[in-house]
Amino acid sequence: MSEVYLASSALSPGFDGLETIKAAKDFGFDGAQLYLDIRYQETAYIIEALKNLSVARLGLIVHLPNVMTLEDLTAAISITGKHPGTKMLIHHLPAKTLPDIKGAVMGWENSVTGKHDPSHIEDTIKQSRLDGAFFAYDYGRSVYPVNKVGQKKLIDFVLKTIGSLRPDKDIIHIEDRTSWNRPYRDCACALGVGIWKELVDVLSQWPGVVVMEQEDLQQAVDSMHRLRAFS
């Protein structure tokens, strides 16, 4: 059975980490994925977030910005100084090297959006292995084949890629949409009621961390319940 994390994207437009932690606790998630924004440059905010995570007994993943400023790096180092072993991920391209954050478990996430690009995903996995990092697989970025043959090939590729992941290290970012041909933000839906129905059973049995990256809290909660119902 998967560990299910709530991403701060579900608390859009604010993406507030403290609100994300509260929602994760209230709705029964196993952890939170927090986007490292300007708020974490305040030590008091970091301390409160980590305290709330500890009280709620939630796991933590930090999503880093594509371009790290010195202030971002300082904030990330502060988090791992107080919470060693925190998983931190960044997009592979535009970032070309992993930030040097002592105490963090670093990871690469695939980043190409709007087309099916197997080579980019395979290169990101390869780079993760070379760097001793984990891989964050965002399958939803591989989108928009308009014919049935292309859709079938894409789903087969996603299933094959999930089968190659390491449940003790890698993580999966989860979303769903009602249409192959429209942008995600125009047709987002809870997992299992859109185009990714084939994945529900596979994802529910995957014994690693999955992150609900919906931009709507109710969709994230409904997706979590659907996964657990299939476990």
Side-chain angles (χ1 to χ4, degrees), residues 58-189:
L58 296 172
L60 172 62
I61 298 169
V62 175
H63 197 311
L64 302 173
N66 289 336
V67 179
M68 294 282 288
T69 66
L70 178 59
E71 291 79 11
D72 293 328
L73 185 60
T74 300
I77 291 171
S78 179
I79 290 172
T80 56
K82 297 174 176 62
H83 197 280
T86 297
K87 281 192 169 184
M88 294 190 171
L89 64 91
I90 194 167
H91 287 137
H92 182 227
L93 308 179
K96 297 181 180 179
T97 59
L98 289 173
D100 184 11
I101 302 172
K102 183 178 180 181
V105 178
M106 299 302 300
W108 284 116
E109 179 185 358
N110 58 293
S111 65
V112 172
T113 302
K115 65 177 180 177
H116 183 38
D117 191 344
S119 63
H120 169 68
I121 294 169
E122 291 163 356
D123 288 347
T124 304
I125 294 173
K126 181 180 178 180
Q127 193 64 51
S128 299
R129 305 297 187 258
L130 289 172
D131 289 340
F134 67 90
F135 172 52
Y137 183 34
D138 190 336
Y139 62 80
R141 292 180 179 274
S142 299
V143 289
Y144 312 148
V146 295
N147 59 67
K148 294 295 184 181
V149 173
Q151 293 169 14
K152 178 64 166 60
K153 287 182 178 178
L154 193 153
I155 289 172
D156 288 345
F157 177 84
V158 170
L159 292 173
K160 180 182 177 181
T161 303
I162 290 173
S164 74
L165 300 181
R166 306 163 299 177
D168 60 327
K169 293 183 174 66
D170 301 327
I171 67 176
I172 301 173
H173 285 169
I174 289 180
E175 56 104 316
D176 205 343
R177 63 184 69 192
T178 59
S179 171
W180 286 98
N181 302 314
R182 296 169 58 201
Y184 167 64
R185 287 180 172 88
D186 293 344
C187 62
C189 64

Side-chain angles (χ1 to χ4, degrees), residues 8 14 18 26 34 117 164 196:
S8 53
L18 299 180
D26 290 347
L34 308 178
D117 191 344
S164 74
W196 297 108

Side-chain angles (χ1 to χ4, degrees), residues 7 33 183 190 208:
Q33 178 180 287

